């Protein structure tokens, strides 16, 4: 039981959270503008923006939590995976803070944190728990036996689901990040208008790069016949692509739930904000008698509260790291 400061800086969001005895007291995030004009996150710009944001974000998290800096008993940070320059800013801050005050330091894996976002608020899943984590960088099926014991049973062999959304949006001339834009346009379109192939990888793995190529060739072919094809059919294209991505995700989720005999099922990560995915997931859950879980929106996208909840369990387990630990862009867990 303790008061912990947690830092998240793996990509383009600078986050800080205070957790006390497992209860999140604050969750502050500074989202960087404006990577959209470059069509994606520019790592160098992201690192610099983290430098600007980290002190005010931490100060705001402490203030919102209604605590004082000397009350903090441990510091946690995202150690992996992510953009190395971004991770380094959070890691250096956390290490310095912890060392200056001789506090325990806790290293957190970003993907484990996305899964553990389900344990911030009630109702919480019980174990075993199966989580589909879908973000801009990852697509994973994770089987959890306890808060700190989990394993990846399947993942994408190429693009992540969020990337499939973002790259499709780019091909359609939409802004970055394209996921939320496609989500909104898809709501006005017919998901059966166009048929795209669903990949069927062995076991519980995913692949989205074939879909991307397929969409590109489809658009090129249609535009030869009608140069205004995309404009005229934008909603239907978005709905059909979104349908294909959702079906591919849920197919593997259903297979894993059946094979591992799990009925506590969650989705997490930025793509779990997708309205189509949320409703398809809920209806499959109803059909198959799952207890379904989706964290609140603020805990689905990158945030520090999810780092804090992992830190809470690691603190209880006295799972601390040395002050000279380094962040890593890729890391297994
Ligand atoms: O988890 P996240 O905030 O950051 C990491 O990648 O770790 O996820 C960002 C991804 C982006 O690819 C974005 O397009 C996608 O989540 N996303 C969505 C939606 N909201 C965010 N994709 C589909 N529908 C949405 N509503
Ligand atoms: Zn993430």
């Amino acid at each position: 039981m303790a008061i912990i400061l947690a830092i998240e800086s793996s990509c383009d969001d600078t986050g800080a959270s205070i957790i006390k005895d497992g209860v999140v007291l604050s969750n502050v995030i500074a989202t960087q503008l404006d990577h959209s004009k470059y069509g994606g996150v520019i790592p160098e710009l992201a690192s610099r923006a983290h430098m600007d944001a980290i002190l005010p974000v931490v100060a705001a998290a402490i203030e919102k939590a209604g605590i004082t800096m000397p009350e903090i008993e441990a510091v946690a940070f995202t150690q992996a995976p992510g953009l190395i320059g971004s991770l380094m800013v959070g890691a250096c801050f956390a290490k310095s803070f912890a060392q200056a005050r001789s506090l325990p330091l806790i290293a957190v894996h970003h993907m484990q944190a996305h899964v553990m976002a389900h344990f911030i608020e009630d109702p919480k899943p019980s174990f075993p728990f199966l989580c589909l984590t879908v973000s801009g960088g990852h697509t994973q099926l994770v089987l959890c036996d306890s808060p700190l014991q989990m394993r990846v049973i399947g993942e994408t062999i190429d693009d992540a689901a969020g990337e499939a959304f973002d790259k499709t949006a780019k091909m359609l001339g939409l802004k970055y990040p394209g996921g939320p834009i496609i989500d909104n346009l898809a709501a006005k379109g017919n998901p059966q208008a166009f048929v795209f192939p669903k990949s069927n990888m062995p076991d519980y793995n995913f692949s989205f790069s074939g879909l991307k190529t397929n969409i590109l060739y489809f658009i090129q072919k249609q535009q030869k016949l009608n140069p205004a094809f995309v404009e005229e059919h934008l909603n239907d294209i978005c709905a059909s692509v979104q349908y294909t991505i959702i079906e591919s995700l849920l197919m593997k989720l259903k297979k894993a739930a059946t094979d591992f005999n799990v009925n506590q099922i969650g989705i997490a990560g930025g793509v779990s904000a997708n309205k189509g995915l949320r409703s398809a997931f809920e209806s499959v859950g109803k059909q198959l008698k799952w207890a379904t879980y989706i964290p609140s929106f603020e805990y689905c996208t990158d945030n520090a509260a999810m780092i804090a909840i992992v830190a809470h369990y690691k603190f209880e387990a006295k799972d601390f790291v040395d002050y000279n630990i380094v962040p890593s862009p890729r890391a297994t867990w």
Side-chain angles (χ1 to χ4, degrees), residues 110 114 134-137 162-163 165-166 177-180 183 269-271 273-275 300-302:
H110 182 85
H114 270 303
V134 272
S135 73
E163 248 176 313
F165 275 104
D166 295 340
D183 189 3
V271 181
N274 183 273
K275 293 187 280 293
C300 276
T301 50
D302 287 351

Side-chain angles (χ1 to χ4, degrees), residues 112 115 128-131 133 140-155 204 259-260 262 333:
Q112 185 173 18
V115 175
F129 168 56
L130 178 66
C131 183
T133 313
Q140 294 186 327
L141 271 171
V142 181
L143 188 59
C144 314
D145 293 320
S146 73
L148 298 179
Q149 277 181 310
M150 51 181 85
R151 64 197 159 102
V152 179
I153 57 167
E155 61 191 326
Y204 312 102
D259 292 356
F260 290 92
V262 182
W333 43 312

Side-chain angles (χ1 to χ4, degrees), residues 6-310:
I7 307 291
E8 154 64 26
S9 70
S10 63
C11 189
D12 62 335
D13 297 309
T14 315
S17 173
I18 300 287
I19 193 166
K20 182 181 182 185
D21 304 340
V23 177
V24 170
L25 299 183
S26 64
N27 179 39
V28 177
I29 193 107
T31 301
Q32 302 176 6
L33 304 169
D34 184 13
H35 294 282
S36 67
K37 64 182 171 207
Y38 305 106
V41 175
I42 307 291
E44 169 78 17
L45 297 183
S47 319
R48 288 169 187 240
H50 282 304
M51 282 302 292
D52 289 339
I54 193 126
L55 283 175
V57 164
V58 169
I62 291 171
E63 194 193 323
K64 277 200 174 169
I67 62 148
T68 58
M69 208 180 275
E71 289 179 85
I72 294 169
E73 295 168 80
V75 185
F77 70 102
T78 305
Q79 190 252 335
L83 300 171
I84 189 65
S86 292
L87 290 168
M88 280 165 67
V89 177
C92 284
F93 176 89
K95 286 163 60 158
S96 311
F97 191 104
Q99 191 161 21
R101 302 199 44 242
S102 303
L103 300 179
L105 183 64
I106 300 168
V108 175
H109 193 288
H110 182 85
M111 298 312 295
Q112 185 173 18
H114 270 303
V115 175
M116 288 303 292
H118 288 94
F119 294 82
I120 296 173
E121 293 176 313
D122 288 329
K124 295 170 185 140
S126 54
F127 296 101
F129 168 56
L130 178 66
C131 183
L132 170 69
T133 313
V134 272
S135 73
H138 293 85
T139 302
Q140 294 186 327
L141 271 171
V142 181
L143 188 59
C144 314
D145 293 320
S146 73
L148 298 179
Q149 277 181 310
M150 51 181 85
R151 64 197 159 102
V152 179
I153 57 167
E155 61 191 326
T156 182
I157 58 152
D158 41 53
D159 291 348
E163 248 176 313
F165 275 104
D166 295 340
K167 288 179 177 173
T168 302
K170 198 170 181 182
M171 288 187 256
L172 297 174
L174 304 171
K175 280 195 170 162
Y176 175 88
I181 303 172
I182 292 189
D183 189 3
N184 289 332
L185 297 174
K188 297 178 270 182
N190 172 10
Q192 317 295 338
F194 307 107
V195 177
F196 297 106
K198 295 181 207 85
S199 77
N200 195 359
M201 300 305 296
D203 305 322
Y204 312 102
N205 293 322
F206 305 90
S207 166
F208 291 104
S209 73
L211 173 65
K212 177 183 64 188
T213 315
N214 210 278
I215 295 166
L216 179 67
Y217 290 162
F218 169 78
I219 294 173
Q220 285 174 344
K221 193 172 144 199
Q222 296 296 332
Q223 278 178 329
K224 268 190 198 148
L225 304 170
N226 171 11
F229 176 78
V230 168
E231 284 158 54
E232 287 172 14
H233 298 275
L234 189 58
N235 296 345
D236 286 347
I237 301 171
C238 289
S240 304
V241 170
Q242 179 170 297
Y243 172 81
T244 310
I245 296 172
I246 293 170
E247 284 292 298
S248 308
L249 293 170
L250 293 184
M251 190 170 67
K252 295 297 177 161
L253 185 60
K254 283 192 266 187
K255 178 174 163 54
T258 309
D259 292 356
F260 290 92
N261 195 24
V262 182
N263 78 342
Q264 300 287 308
I265 319 279
I267 55 172
V271 181
S272 61
N274 183 273
K275 293 187 280 293
L277 175 61
R278 291 168 92 97
S279 76
F281 170 64
E282 297 286 10
S283 79
V284 167
K286 226 177 217 167
Q287 218 179 316
L288 300 180
K289 300 196 171 22
W290 293 346
T292 53
Y293 301 91
I294 311 175
S296 296
F297 183 74
E298 67 171 313
Y299 304 133
C300 276
T301 50
D302 287 351
N303 68 88
M306 68 183 193
I307 307 302
I309 192 74
V310 176

